[in-house]
Amino acid sequence: MAAYDKADLERRMAGSVEALKGDLAGLRTGRASISLLDPVTVEVYGSHMPLNQVATVSAPESRMLSVQVWDKSNVGPCDKAIRSAGLGLNPIVDGTTLRIPIPDLTEDRRKELAKLAGQYAEKARIAARNVRRDGMESLKIDEKKNVFGEDERKRHETEVQKLTDSTIADIDAAASAKEKEILGK
């Protein structure tokens, strides 16, 4: 039984790119995006629930989010959760709807967000390198077990390295695009 599994490595590397895209989607740019409220959890019915499980989030305008709360008794907790989420948002309560104007980002805040995007990208690069390391180790183990010879191990190592390089290129492209979007360039 070979320890080296190329499909598994590809899946894990793709996972690091997808995780990065998820992290980047939560970063605020100047535009309203429903993914902006993904990290918000609301304390209702005695437990913490994601906002999207107690309300419908939409972006009716480019600078406005709308949160339609399903149960009238949850309007207060939803308002409180959004205000205390550290996103710099102040909802306006209108019956069971919360209207959330998206304020302009200050230059300092834009720089902070761009830096955070860079940190997310570095975390994803580290994840990809860890997958590469696991792949290389499994290749060496397979060679010692005589699953295949040195030439085949080297060929597989080249494949793993190419996969890593392309994954890191994808990570860099996603981070670069998000930084440009944040900085408005």
Side-chain angles (χ1 to χ4, degrees), residues 54-56 67-75 78 96-98:
V54 294
T56 303
V67 178
Q68 181 68 46
V69 184
W70 301 327
D71 184 345
K72 196 173 186 177
S73 65
N74 293 338
V75 173
C78 287
T96 58
T97 304
L98 299 175

Side-chain angles (χ1 to χ4, degrees), residues 33-141:
S33 165
I34 61 170
S35 62
L36 186 58
L37 296 177
D38 285 351
V40 177
T41 56
V42 185
E43 193 171 337
V44 288
Y45 311 122
S47 65
H48 289 276
M49 298 174 78
L51 181 66
N52 62 9
Q53 288 184 10
V54 294
T56 303
V57 181
S58 63
E61 300 169 32
S62 66
R63 311 217 29 96
M64 175 80 68
L65 286 174
S66 173
V67 178
Q68 181 68 46
V69 184
W70 301 327
D71 184 345
K72 196 173 186 177
S73 65
N74 293 338
V75 173
C78 287
D79 178 43
K80 181 181 171 198
I82 293 167
R83 287 179 192 276
S84 62
L87 298 170
L89 301 174
N90 295 309
I92 300 162
V93 179
D94 182 12
T96 58
T97 304
L98 299 175
R99 288 182 293 122
I100 308 166
I102 306 297
D104 281 330
L105 291 172
T106 63
E107 191 58 34
D108 287 345
R109 184 70 178 136
R110 284 180 190 276
K111 286 177 182 166
E112 278 177 40
L113 290 172
K115 200 175 188 180
L116 193 55
Q119 289 171 356
Y120 287 159
E122 185 55 30
K123 200 169 73 176
R125 280 188 215 98
I126 290 169
R129 287 187 201 116
N130 287 341
V131 173
R132 177 187 63 192
R133 187 196 60 225
D134 293 349
M136 296 296 195
E137 285 174 2
S138 65
L139 286 171
K140 287 177 183 155
I141 290 168

Side-chain angles (χ1 to χ4, degrees), residues 2-21:
Y4 173 69
D5 181 356
K6 185 178 179 190
D8 181 55
L9 295 178
E10 288 171 345
R11 182 188 55 75
R12 289 171 57 200
M13 292 229 185
S16 67
V17 174
E18 288 309 308
L20 170 69
K21 287 181 179 173

